[in-house]
Amino acid sequence: MAERPYLGIDHVVLRTAVAEPLFELLHQQFGLPVTWPLQHAPFATYGWIGVGNTNLEIWAAADNSDLPADCPLPLFHQIALAPVRLEETVASIQASGLSCKAPRAFVSRNENGDAHTNFTNSVVLDLSSDSCCVFVCEWGDMAPIAPWKHGLSLNQRRADHQAALEAVSGGRLGFERLSEIELTTPDVPAATEKWQRLSRSFCVPIKIADDVDLSVALGERDAIQALTFTVHNLDLARRALVEDGLLEQPGNLEEVVVSLRATGGVRIRLVEEPRTPAE
C-alpha cells in the first residue's frame, strides 16, 4: 500500500443543537477524558472528548443554515485529517485526482495581543457535501485558542490524549479507540474509489488510518451513520449500559449500541477486538 498523504484523524465533529447533554454523557456518564473544555462563544458551544486515537468535537453552532434543511441534529458531520505538512498533504491529495479548497488560516491574538494562527483548513471537495465534510486541519504551534501546551507536535499531543484515556482505564465502558466510521452515499462505487485514492488503501473496508476502517454503504445522502469503538471487554460494557438504562440493542453478542435516546439519535457502537491467546 502506498504511503498515506496524511498522518491520521485529528478529530471527528459531532454537530448538535445543544452541546451540554452529549458532552455530559461522554464525560460524566462514561468517564471519558475532556481534551478541550467546553467553550461558550458567540458562534458556537464546543468542546473535545478524548477517545484515544482521536477526539470527538461536540459542536453546537449558533447558526445551522449550512446544513440541508432536512438534515437532523445531532449528526456526525466532519472528519478532520491531520497532515504531514499542510502544503505537502494537500498537494499529494490533489495529485491523486481529488480537488481541495484553497487553505484558509484562522488567526486570533494571544493574551499579549500577538496574532498567531490557530489552525489552517483545506476542504477535500470531492469527498465533501453539505451533510458530510472532510478536511485537512493543521494546528499552529502557538495557537492561542488551543488548550494544549504550545509547541507540541501532533504525535506528542496524541500521546498525551492516549495517556489521558489510559489514565481512566477507558472510562466506565472501557473505551480503547475509534475503530470504524460507517458512511452512506448515493453512489457507492464512486465514493469508494475516491476514498481509496485519498487513503491509498484498496481493501474493503478501507483503512483510512492505521487503526481506523471506513465502510461505505448505499444511502440517500453522504452521511456518517455510526462510529464504532473498541472496548476492553464487551460484556462489562454491556453490563454497565444495562445498569444505566443506556443499552439500545439487548441480545446482540457481537456489539452493543448506546441508547439512541441518550445520544439524540447518533449511533455509537461498541465492539471487542479479537484477542490472541497470548493476550
Side-chain angles (χ1 to χ4, degrees):
M1 184 176 72
E3 186 174 354
R4 200 177 293 115
Y6 54 92
L7 297 175
I9 298 175
D10 186 80
H11 61 282
V12 177
V13 179
L14 172 50
R15 294 278 295 267
T16 183
V18 182
E20 286 81 0
L22 278 170
F23 202 83
E24 290 171 5
L25 174 72
L26 296 169
H27 176 51
Q28 300 291 344
Q29 187 85 29
F30 293 165
L32 294 172
V34 172
T35 49
W36 195 317
L38 203 62
Q39 305 293 306
H40 300 276
F43 55 86
T45 299
Y46 62 96
W48 285 19
I49 298 292
V51 291
N53 59 344
T54 190
N55 297 278
L56 284 181
E57 179 173 18
I58 312 301
W59 180 275
D63 180 6
N64 291 305
S65 59
D66 59 312
L67 298 174
D70 61 345
C71 197
L73 290 175
L75 80 156
F76 298 115
H77 183 239
Q78 300 173 13
I79 301 172
L81 305 174
V84 179
R85 285 188 299 274
L86 184 74
E87 296 81 3
E88 179 182 331
T89 293
V90 170
S92 181
I93 292 172
Q94 291 177 323
S96 73
L98 299 173
S99 60
C100 294
K101 196 171 182 177
R104 180 185 176 190
F106 294 80
V107 178
S108 66
R109 296 186 181 277
N110 62 17
E111 63 277 8
N112 297 320
D114 301 320
H116 291 280
T117 297
N118 287 305
F119 52 88
T120 304
N121 289 347
S122 175
V123 176
V124 184
L125 294 170
D126 287 325
L127 289 174
S128 297
S129 66
D130 289 345
S131 54
C132 182
C133 179
V134 180
F135 64 102
V136 181
C137 176
E138 181 176 74
W139 289 92
D141 290 340
M142 303 296 290
I145 67 169
W148 50 79
K149 182 180 178 182
H150 288 163
L152 290 182
S153 69
L154 173 69
N155 287 337
Q156 290 171 327
R157 178 160 56 87
R158 294 185 75 173
D160 285 350
H161 292 169
Q162 182 68 50
L165 182 66
E166 292 173 357
V168 296
S169 301
R172 178 161 168 74
L173 304 181
F175 275 70
E176 292 181 329
R177 62 181 174 88
L178 173 67
S179 59
E180 185 176 24
I181 298 173
E182 181 183 322
L183 178 76
T184 57
T185 179
D187 190 338
V188 172
T192 298
E193 191 268 339
K194 290 175 183 178
W195 277 101
Q196 287 177 334
R197 272 195 277 157
L198 174 77
S199 63
R200 313 296 200 261
S201 168
F202 298 94
C203 56
V204 176
I206 300 165
K207 300 290 292 186
I208 62 168
D210 290 342
D211 50 4
V212 183
D213 293 336
L214 176 78
S215 63
V216 183
L218 186 65
E220 293 182 0
R221 59 159 58 100
D222 294 328
I224 300 170
Q225 297 293 340
L227 297 185
T228 299
F229 299 88
T230 59
V231 294
H232 298 311
N233 186 303
L234 190 61
D235 288 337
L236 293 180
R238 181 185 292 109
R239 191 178 310 156
L241 288 172
V242 168
E243 290 174 359
D244 295 343
L246 295 175
L247 180 65
E248 179 66 25
Q249 295 179 343
N252 190 330
L253 299 180
E254 301 299 322
E255 66 175 50
V256 298
V257 176
V258 177
S259 166
L260 299 179
R261 170 185 52 79
T263 66
V266 294
R267 296 181 68 84
I268 296 176
R269 301 169 62 245
L270 307 178
V271 299
E272 184 175 336
E273 196 156 32
R275 311 290 182 183
T276 64
E279 295 179 299

